[in-house]
Amino acid sequence: MMKPLSTLRPFLATLILALPVNPAAAAAPIDDAGAARLKTVLEDLLAGQQEGLKAQGISVKTDGPVTVEKASGYYKASLPAYVLSSAESGLSLTFGRVAINATAAEAPGQWNMAIALPTPIRMKTPDQTDVTLSIGAQNTSGVWHEALRNFVKLNSRLEGVQVADSAKRFTLSIPSIAALHDLNEKAPDQWSGTADILFKGLSLSATPQQGAQPFTLQVDEIGIKSMVQDLSIKAMSHYREQLETLVTNAQANPNQSVSPAHTEATMKLLADLFRNAWEGFSGTLAVRGVSAQTPAAGQEPARSVRLGEGHFGMDMGGFRSGKV
């Protein structure tokens, strides 16, 4: 099944805007070598993400190459537009070109980046209904780590997020989404920190068929907090490469069923990853001000549900030290 939201994160597509870059990082020279390095980093990232999507049965069509230009005090990068589609689910996702303003960070292998998502992003459902995601305002910047292939620092805010379909059966509104990601290297290759995201004012309306009364949902706040302790980026890179090799080997014989040996190797690799990639992690999900209304249908009366507050959490530690 295609997972449209998860496909957005690797590409971080944007409108072509002049985004500010941290002035403190502007001391790094802006030269041809730096531009070539950033281009290689982005090309390798996209190639890896495309292989991962193809392994999930998602076809990837691109429009244009990766380009990096020297600008006044920063690099201006442009990534291709994408169309992602899944034959299994019948879903397709289209989003525009990526623009990233970047400078080399003080630490080797890291980049200060300013990015933004495109608006609108379009999806087509199996029944050919068009779904549009639009963003009213946004501001996102962070520090990208080449080996981790992710941000170790991220500060992002989206406002006026709207999702709606052309048949006017579904609308989702989120006035505010804020994300804060802060990992720090406490010891060599030992990264610890937090990643938080907060949704405010979520409102959803869904109508199962034309003319029917909608199901509605309102949530004042949804907060997700997570923490990781002593993450090893080298270990994560090693296990990612091993998993990619397993996937490639399985794709080499698509008409054959997955062998028990392949399944055993995959499970062992995942178990080793959990034991060696970090010392521990935790996460909490909190919701506040939940209200849902279901319309009457046939002999079933209308119903409403309210929840003042709800919390769910997990905390796991002692993986590397053997004290789980």
Side-chain angles (χ1 to χ4, degrees), residues 134-139 156-162 174-178:
S134 59
I135 302 168
Q138 55 185 303
N139 189 347
S156 177
R157 186 176 185 86
L158 308 180
E159 296 181 349
V161 177
Q162 300 278 344
I174 309 176
S176 173
I177 304 174

Side-chain angles (χ1 to χ4, degrees), residues 215-235:
F215 163 81
T216 60
L217 173 69
Q218 293 82 35
V219 185
D220 290 343
E221 287 187 357
I222 302 174
I224 302 170
K225 295 180 176 290
S226 60
M227 180 279 294
V228 65
Q229 179 184 358
D230 296 341
L231 170 71
S232 168
I233 290 178
K234 290 181 180 178

